[in-house]
Amino acid sequence: MYKLIVMLHLLGASIWVGGHLILSLGILPSALRARDPAPILAFEQRFEKIGIPALIVQILSGLWLAHYWVPQHAQWVRFETPQATLIAVKLGLLALTAVLGLHARLALIPRLTAAMLPQLAMHIVAVTLLAVGFVIAGSGIRLGGLAW
Ligand code: HEM
């Protein structure tokens, strides 16, 4: 079971992180240059159909894996072992991702104009950096920490 959940977690990570890197590095720069939000909105509309299910898979498989590594849930936020510390970091990254995602979806995207593009761009770059942060923190759990 553990191996299957790790595989699902890695598959979901590929979709979530890969999609955001394509958006940040492949689509955002030209949209900013052209001051045109349309390509971003078109990508988001297509991506969210697999991106949101992938994020849900990440959360469910991530909580399962967190329980596998640190079965006492109270220790998830006590920073006592490298695994518990990195689980707390991942929960923090998840909270920030949720806040930024909800703000973009509820406050920015419904009334998006070319003038608001830089603000949306900052959101996209921030969510992409958080996604990369998930990968870095996640790899440290099995490696016993991130210290070299
Ligand atoms: C988009 C969100 C996420 C991404 C991209 C992500 C990515 C990753 C990656 C790449 C690994 C390394 C797996 C390995 O060592 O083979 C990992 C491991 C892990 N992640 Fe996540 N993760 C996400 C969300 C979460 C959440 C919400 C939790 C819950 C706290 C979580 C908990 C874990 C745990 C416990 C591991 C260690 C798995 C193991 O190696 O046994 N992850 N994650």
Side-chain angles (χ1 to χ4, degrees):
M1 186 70 169
Y2 169 70
K3 288 180 184 172
L4 179 70
I5 302 289
V6 171
M7 284 173 198
L8 277 179
H9 202 69
L10 287 173
L11 189 59
S14 315
I15 295 170
W16 184 254
V17 183
H20 280 90
L21 286 172
I22 291 171
L23 180 57
S24 282
L25 302 174
I27 293 172
L28 186 58
S30 54
L32 278 173
R33 272 195 302 275
R35 294 177 205 281
D36 179 13
I40 299 174
L41 295 178
F43 180 85
E44 293 238 7
Q45 236 172 23
R46 284 180 155 203
F47 177 64
E48 74 182 10
K49 291 193 184 75
I50 54 163
I52 298 300
L55 181 60
I56 293 169
V57 167
Q58 286 318 95
I59 296 169
L60 296 179
S61 58
L63 291 174
W64 192 96
L65 291 166
H67 177 78
Y68 173 89
W69 280 99
V70 184
Q72 293 84 11
H73 299 176
Q75 290 187 2
W76 287 4
V77 286
R78 287 214 190 117
F79 309 97
E80 279 167 0
T81 62
Q83 281 78 19
T85 303
L86 289 166
I87 287 168
V89 168
K90 293 197 90 160
L91 292 173
L93 293 172
L94 182 62
L96 288 172
T97 302
V99 169
L100 284 172
L102 285 176
H103 183 251
R105 175 118 315 280
L106 302 178
L108 285 182
I109 291 176
R111 49 194 184 86
L112 188 64
T113 59
M116 289 159 69
L117 205 48
Q119 215 183 326
L120 183 65
M122 281 194 291
H123 267 72
I124 291 170
V125 171
V127 172
T128 305
L129 291 174
L130 290 172
V132 172
F134 272 116
V135 171
I136 295 171
S139 58
I141 295 174
R142 195 200 302 245
L143 298 173
L146 288 172
W148 293 103

